[in-house]
Amino acid sequence: MILAELSAERWQTVSEGTAGGGVRGALADIRRFMQVTSDDGPLRQFAEQEPTVALRVLMAEAGQVNAALRASVTACLTAHGVNGIDTRTVEDAVR
């Protein structure tokens, strides 16, 4: 739950004021999100200290983190005017 909330907060940070821009804008936000989360001290520390647990939590397809990431990627695409992306594409991107 905490990781899902942190994920949502990071998405909000990278996407503030960046609506529009089509696929390039969406990909820029997704790249920024990946950079912000990989540079985040607490998240990095968790992954370094508990790699098995971190991978299980972060990669669980039915987990809250995965669901939050799917919702955030979908919202990012929509905010940038990228419509018609099927859910399977978003699921593949989140994996």
Side-chain angles (χ1 to χ4, degrees), residues 18-73:
T18 63
V23 172
R24 287 181 187 222
L27 290 175
D29 277 1
I30 291 167
R31 278 189 214 101
R32 277 193 301 277
F33 172 78
M34 291 169 42
Q35 186 65 49
V36 165
T37 55
S38 67
D39 290 344
D40 187 271
L43 290 174
R44 176 175 272 179
Q45 185 177 14
F46 170 60
E48 289 172 350
Q49 291 180 354
E50 299 290 340
T52 304
V53 174
L55 283 173
R56 187 175 56 230
V57 168
L58 296 172
M59 301 301 289
E61 289 185 36
Q64 292 178 339
V65 173
N66 194 284
L69 288 173
R70 285 192 316 268
S72 295
V73 167

Side-chain angles (χ1 to χ4, degrees), residues 11-22:
W11 270 110
Q12 186 173 10
T13 299
V14 302
S15 65
E16 288 177 352
T18 63

